[in-house]
């Protein structure tokens, strides 16, 4: 977690779960650097709306149920997160290959 300011009040932004990212890059080492980079960017972000994400990540896809799909490592992999904008929490819901991504329902994963 890290602090950010909102209306002169310090709040924490949290990404749950970094472990899912680490587990994935243990199996796919070429994904480690791009996932670490995404994690570092995301934990410093103060996304309040899907449009703010699209401004930072033009190739991100905002889908239903507060889900966002990020292309990782030049679109070799997909990362799906659920975002609670009010509470400033980003939940890692899926990280995987395109073949695995094609088998999930992004809105419910």
């Amino acid at each position: 977690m890290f602090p950010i300011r909102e209306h002169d009040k310090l709040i924490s932004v949290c990404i749950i779960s970094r472990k899912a990212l680490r587990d994935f890059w243990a199996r796919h080492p070429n994904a480690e650097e791009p996932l670490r980079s995404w994690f570092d960017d995301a934990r410093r972000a103060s996304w309040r709306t899907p449009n703010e994400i699209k401004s930072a990540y033009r190739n991100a896809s905002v889908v239903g149920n507060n889900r966002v799909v990020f292309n990782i490592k030049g679109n070799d992999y997909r990362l799906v997160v659920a975002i609670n904008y009010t509470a400033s929490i980003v939940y890692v819901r899926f990280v995987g290959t395109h073949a695995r991504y094609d088998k999930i329902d992004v809105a419910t994963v």
Side-chain angles (χ1 to χ4, degrees):
M1 293 193 305
F2 67 98
I4 63 169
R5 289 203 175 273
E6 179 178 76
H7 306 289
D8 290 326
K9 178 181 169 187
L10 226 61
I11 62 172
S12 294
V13 172
C14 184
I15 300 174
I16 303 171
S17 137
R18 186 173 188 181
K19 182 181 181 321
L21 302 178
R22 285 193 310 258
D23 290 349
F24 185 77
W25 75 54
R27 293 185 315 273
H28 302 272
N30 63 348
E32 181 174 1
E33 185 178 329
L35 285 170
R36 282 183 184 270
S37 179
W38 175 88
F39 183 88
D40 290 342
D41 289 347
R43 71 184 175 107
R44 286 190 300 267
S46 57
W47 299 321
R48 296 287 178 220
T49 67
N51 286 339
E52 290 178 1
I53 294 172
K54 288 295 288 180
S55 292
Y57 292 90
R58 292 180 52 197
N59 292 324
S61 299
V62 177
V63 296
N65 204 19
N66 290 323
R67 301 299 201 268
V68 180
V69 180
F70 293 93
N71 297 324
I72 302 296
K73 194 184 171 295
N75 205 20
D76 286 352
Y77 304 110
R78 294 284 176 97
L79 171 65
V80 179
V81 299
I83 302 177
N84 181 326
Y85 295 98
T86 305
S88 298
I89 299 174
V90 175
Y91 301 91
V92 174
R93 304 301 297 165
F94 170 87
V95 59
T97 64
H98 279 277
R100 285 196 56 227
Y101 173 82
D102 289 341
K103 295 177 182 178
I104 66 168
D105 178 358
V106 177
T108 61
V109 69

